């Protein structure tokens, strides 16, 4: 099991929950981008595949009521999917796997299962993912207009996350919009970069 239930919730849990929802908005499009036949087959074979995709979509809706219960439900499905692989996959499958892993880590942060002083901080996991995407784009000859496009995008979104209050306010809704746009950019860039590459 990749997470523990029954932990004391952090005092700033509403803010953490909003951060997790923003992470779902930007990384779920990669999870469902279709860049890996292996990943897609694994998800499709999972008994809760339809509920999994529905939950990902629901968490990005600003008006949805989301608490620890909903995040733990998503964690259960994510844990089962990630555990299926046994080890970190390579090739095209790396990207949806790591995007799902980042979502899992954000949810664990929100539920209190990922300590703030974890050996590898959450921002470092996000930076690593964005850096891998930037390197893939560079190797594929795709120029999005500035170097380290996604690394810089994540730094900008992290700054916006720090201003969250836990309330359903204009800033949170704007951040979700920005996160959805970033997710579409991730999925589109990876689809272009990996097109024609042999599936792994």
């Amino acid at each position: 099991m990749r997470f523990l239930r029954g932990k004391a919730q952090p005092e700033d849990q509403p803010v953490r929950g909003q951060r997790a929802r923003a992470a779902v908005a930007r990384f779920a499009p990669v999870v469902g981008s279709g860049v890996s036949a292996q990943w897609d087959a694994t998800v499709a074979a999972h008994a809760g595949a339809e509920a999994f995709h529905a939950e990902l979509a629901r968490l990005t809706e600003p008006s949805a009521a989301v608490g620890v219960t909903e995040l733990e439900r998503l964690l259960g499905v994510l844990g089962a999917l990630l555990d299926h692989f046994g080890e970190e996959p390579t090739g095209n499958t790396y990207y949806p796997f790591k995007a799902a892993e980042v979502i899992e880590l954000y949810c664990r942060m929100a539920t209190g299962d990922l300590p703030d002083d974890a050996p590898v901080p959450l921002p470092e996991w996000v930076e690593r993912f964005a850096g891998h995407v930037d390197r893939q784009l560079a190797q594929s000859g795709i120029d999005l207009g500035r170097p380290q496009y996604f690394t810089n995008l994540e730094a900008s979104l992290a700054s916006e996350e720090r201003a969250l209050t836990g309330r359903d306010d204009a800033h949170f809704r704007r951040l979700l919009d920005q996160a959805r746009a970033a997710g579409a950019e991730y999925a589109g860039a990876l689809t272009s970069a990996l097109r024609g590459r042999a599936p792994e």
Side-chain angles (χ1 to χ4, degrees), residues 95-179:
Y95 295 99
F97 176 90
K98 292 303 284 188
E101 190 174 63
V102 170
I103 291 172
E104 183 202 33
L105 289 168
Y106 264 93
C107 290
R108 289 180 58 202
M109 171 272 300
T111 61
D113 182 50
L114 182 69
D116 292 338
D117 60 352
V120 180
L122 182 53
E124 187 173 329
W125 286 105
V126 175
E127 184 178 342
R128 286 179 184 179
F129 179 81
H132 273 285
V133 175
D134 285 331
R135 283 190 291 279
Q136 182 62 60
L137 296 180
Q139 289 170 8
S140 302
I142 295 175
D143 183 2
L144 295 182
R146 67 180 183 191
Q148 302 298 304
Y149 182 88
F150 286 105
T151 301
N152 288 317
L153 178 60
E154 287 297 341
S156 174
L157 290 172
S159 176
E160 294 294 323
E161 281 184 6
R162 286 191 287 274
L164 288 169
T165 63
R167 296 188 298 273
D168 180 14
D169 55 15
H171 179 72
F172 172 58
R173 289 171 179 257
R174 185 168 58 251
L175 176 59
L176 273 186
D177 286 341
Q178 292 172 326

Side-chain angles (χ1 to χ4, degrees), residues 25-107:
R26 46 187 211 281
F27 297 111
V30 179
V31 171
S33 62
V35 298
S36 165
Q38 180 188 10
W39 172 262
D40 291 345
T42 300
V43 173
H46 194 276
E50 188 173 331
F52 170 58
H53 287 297
E55 194 64 24
L56 287 177
R58 195 176 80 77
L59 290 176
T60 66
E61 289 300 319
S63 59
V66 177
V68 172
T69 300
E70 288 75 21
L71 295 174
E72 287 188 335
R73 187 164 55 237
L74 179 58
L75 275 170
V77 179
L78 279 171
L81 285 171
L82 296 172
D83 286 344
H84 176 80
F85 286 89
E87 60 184 34
E88 184 173 285
T90 58
N92 295 11
T93 307
Y94 170 86
Y95 295 99
F97 176 90
K98 292 303 284 188
E101 190 174 63
V102 170
I103 291 172
E104 183 202 33
L105 289 168
Y106 264 93
C107 290

